[in-house]
Amino acid sequence: MDEQLTSMRLDNGLQTIWERVGAAPVVALQAWVGVGGADETAAQAGLAHLHEHMLFKGTQRRKVGELARDIESAGGEVNAWTSFDQTVYHLVVPRDEVELGLDALSDALQNSTFDPEELKRESEVVVEEILRAQDSPARRLSQATFRLAYGTHPYRLPVLGSEESVRGFTREGILAFYRHYYRPDNVTLVVVGDVDEGRIEAQIGAAFAGWRAPDAPLRRPVRPQEPPARALRVERLEEDVQEARLALAWPGPSLHGEQLAAVDVLATLLGHGESSRLHDRLHRQRGLCSDIGAYAYTPTDAGLMMVSASLPAAQLQPALAQICGELAELCHAPPSAGEVRRAQVQLLSDDAYARQTVQGQARKRGYFAVAAGALAFEAQYHAAVSAVRPAAVMAAARQLFAAPPAVVLQYAPGSASQLTDAALGEAIAPLWPPQKVPAGRRAATAPSPQRHTLPGGAVLILAPDSGPVTSLRAVALGGLRYERQEEAGLAHLCTSVYGSATARLSPAALAARVAEAAGSLGG
């Protein structure tokens, strides 16, 4: 693939990044504006997101609808999104229409008029979006989790704002916000695709040359720092839902946190995909939930480690206890090297898959340049992920899960009445409060394994550990290497049915015995 990456800053302060990617005759153009939902005052809640709706709705040169029509009639597309930290405007155009795309972005960023009638219509569109979010059990759970996990930081509030705040906006207030934040020294332009290397810099310069930055430096509200969590926080959502949901959140690192890579690996091996610990042990082995996952949210400011599950309401307490037991295990025993390698491959491959389109590559470039503050951050992050070792994952787990979690439970009225505060405390007990390390012994140090030969000749290896989980594994020589040609696949067949039944216990009796011990059995 033909690629060339160039970064430069124009005289007006506009940061520009362009990259030639000749895989397809198209070009992605993205304008990353350094303002998001977390930069708003209480009266401005939802204002950054409303700009996302309005910026392509008319300028001093283009009437309402003309900008999108210009791009789409040339074979392109228009889109935008808003986060807590940025607002991004996105075009994809054929390679011969790069100047049109640059002109459209430049026009919208500098000259949007916020037509009063269109503003009134789009405000109602945003209100409908807010109401749809309130009708979604998953969105209500997510909003409650952020509200509970962040007591003071603006990440606690929805990016969409509220029905009251959006309906309370005035055109004068919207224009003031636009003029304050939409300035060249607060924007990063990213252009990725089949660009003309000999012309693209001049094309960018011509499109944005007339944009002038104000003399005064940009000022934004100071974001309050989130104080350490000191107590368990619980919220119950008794709602008309068919299936219960559970969410747990712990304070996590920001994008610049020292443990960022280890925490991402931890979240991935815990709850990313069917091979992850939580999915394998709670869904596949024990059937406690229909779906479960873990995610590390690492934005500009301090983020969250989150675990969420969908399950029958009657399983809330045992599922919560099992989740906390699995997390406690990682605090006392490192994951295997194989688990860590799988998580590393998943993280790095997800990044690779995101780059399959020019818009995906532009998004990566913009994210690392704006959110992380440096294009080089991506290579540094990939190197850090590749360097994570099992001990670092255990250290990250100990630091994360030493804090009390925020717990949100969502279930139909009356369906989980048995989940009292006492029952919740019992379910979380394996993890919180954290187990104390015995005096005189450091947590990271474990006794050396002991080797014994049993009377029959079998070798027994004991590896004492202070954790709440005991693991037993029997290993014998076998497998494909020992099979004759006519026995090919026999070892795999044996391991696939191992643990299903014994000479003394039926499948149901064996499963019950294992479940009574809160264990798992497999081969």
Side-chain angles (χ1 to χ4, degrees), residues 95-313:
R95 63 185 174 194
D96 295 333
E97 300 293 348
V98 170
E99 289 186 346
L100 171 63
L102 290 169
D103 178 70
L105 266 183
S106 174
D107 194 19
L109 290 166
Q110 297 181 65
N111 305 313
S112 288
T113 54
F114 295 86
D115 176 81
E117 290 302 314
E118 192 65 21
L119 184 57
K120 186 182 302 182
R121 281 191 291 269
E122 284 303 314
S123 296
E124 289 305 311
V125 170
V126 172
V127 168
E128 287 300 316
E129 192 175 348
I130 293 169
L131 296 178
R132 285 198 304 273
Q134 294 172 356
D135 285 339
S136 166
R139 292 289 292 275
R140 291 197 299 271
L141 180 76
S142 175
Q143 291 181 4
T145 303
F146 273 74
R147 185 173 62 247
L148 198 63
Y150 290 106
T152 59
H153 193 280
Y155 287 164
R156 74 188 187 279
L157 302 173
V159 170
L160 299 181
S162 67
E163 181 178 358
E164 293 75 20
S165 65
V166 172
R167 287 209 162 115
F169 293 154
T170 64
R171 183 169 180 268
E172 291 72 21
I174 294 168
L175 284 169
F177 188 91
Y178 172 66
R179 292 169 184 143
H180 184 77
Y181 287 106
Y182 284 68
R183 44 190 284 169
D185 54 353
N186 194 39
V187 175
T188 296
L189 175 71
V190 183
V191 181
V192 175
D194 193 10
V195 297
D196 185 334
E197 296 170 282
R199 301 179 59 206
I200 186 61
E201 290 189 15
Q203 290 171 324
I204 293 172
F208 290 93
W211 200 6
R212 293 287 179 263
D215 294 333
L218 176 64
R219 299 185 182 277
R220 61 181 80 233
V222 176
R223 299 180 182 183
Q225 296 299 306
E226 188 67 26
R230 303 194 181 280
L232 180 69
R233 292 142 295 158
V234 180
E235 183 167 339
R236 293 174 172 84
L237 305 176
E238 292 194 64
E239 303 177 344
D240 184 16
V241 291
Q242 296 296 316
E243 188 174 40
R245 288 180 171 85
L246 164 68
L248 298 96
W250 290 264
S254 73
L255 188 60
H256 295 283
E258 291 183 1
Q259 289 190 313
L260 173 67
V263 168
D264 279 348
V265 171
L266 169 64
T268 302
L269 69 84
L270 265 177
H272 183 80
E274 295 184 2
S275 66
S276 63
R277 282 197 180 193
L278 294 177
H279 187 276
D280 178 62
R281 298 179 183 182
L282 274 84
H283 172 72
R284 188 182 67 81
Q285 294 187 26
R286 299 197 63 190
L288 290 173
C289 57
S290 58
D291 186 42
I292 188 167
Y295 174 64
Y297 173 63
T298 54
T300 300
D301 295 338
L304 298 175
M305 165 66 80
M306 294 182 282
V307 175
S308 60
S310 300
L311 66 170

